[in-house]
Amino acid sequence: MKNYIIVGIGSAIGGMVRFFLSNFVYKFLSPVFPYGTLVVNALGSFLIGIFLFYLDANELISSEMRIFLTVGFCGGLTTFSTFSYETFSLIQNSEYLFTILNIVLNLLFSFTGILLAFIISHKILRGF
């Protein structure tokens, strides 16, 4: 139960940071392109790398802090950071087929999920 609370607190903070950063970015860049999402995805991927490849690998953080920073904070900031780390781990393990499959399936299924939600939502609004 303790780890769920740790993840929940980290996720809440990560979500607030995502909201702040996205809005901050759009003060300087046009909302024509999703720059805010791009920034938080890139930042989240960078941060999860620092947390895992440096802090955790050098045993500078406890397991609770690792969960807070990675699953919680980075997960709340962006799940793209987890996707990036898992894909990189596949490359490190020379699992190239799984690397390509992970990239393609994540993009395909995520986009398909959005597309299906859009179609279903519009059908509900129009009464099928």
Side-chain angles (χ1 to χ4, degrees):
M1 185 58 145
K2 177 178 145 186
N3 286 344
Y4 288 99
I5 294 169
I6 290 170
V7 168
I9 293 168
S11 295
I13 295 168
M16 289 186 288
V17 171
R18 174 180 59 221
F19 185 73
F20 170 79
L21 280 178
S22 290
N23 287 318
F24 183 76
V25 165
Y26 290 121
K27 289 181 180 187
F28 302 98
L29 299 171
S30 169
V32 172
F33 182 83
Y35 294 107
T37 302
L38 181 62
V39 167
V40 296
N41 282 341
L43 178 63
S45 296
F46 173 76
L47 289 175
I48 201 169
I50 294 295
F51 298 152
L52 291 171
F53 298 135
Y54 181 73
L55 297 178
D56 189 50
N58 289 296
E59 299 178 357
L60 299 174
I61 54 175
S62 66
S63 62
E64 290 87 2
M65 184 56 75
R66 180 178 37 81
I67 291 168
F68 172 81
L69 292 171
T70 59
V71 179
F73 180 77
C74 286
L77 181 63
T78 171
T79 56
F80 201 78
S81 57
T82 302
F83 164 76
S84 299
Y85 173 71
E86 290 171 346
T87 302
F88 186 78
S89 292
L90 289 170
I91 292 169
Q92 279 188 313
N93 293 325
S94 301
E95 296 286 351
Y96 304 114
L97 179 61
F98 284 138
T99 300
I100 292 168
L101 193 61
N102 187 47
I103 293 167
V104 170
L105 291 179
N106 267 283
L107 291 174
L108 180 66
F109 289 170
S110 296
F111 185 78
T112 301
I114 290 292
L115 179 62
L116 288 174
F118 176 80
I119 292 168
I120 291 167
S121 296
H122 274 69
K123 286 192 183 248
I124 289 172
L125 290 174
R126 293 181 189 164
F128 284 95

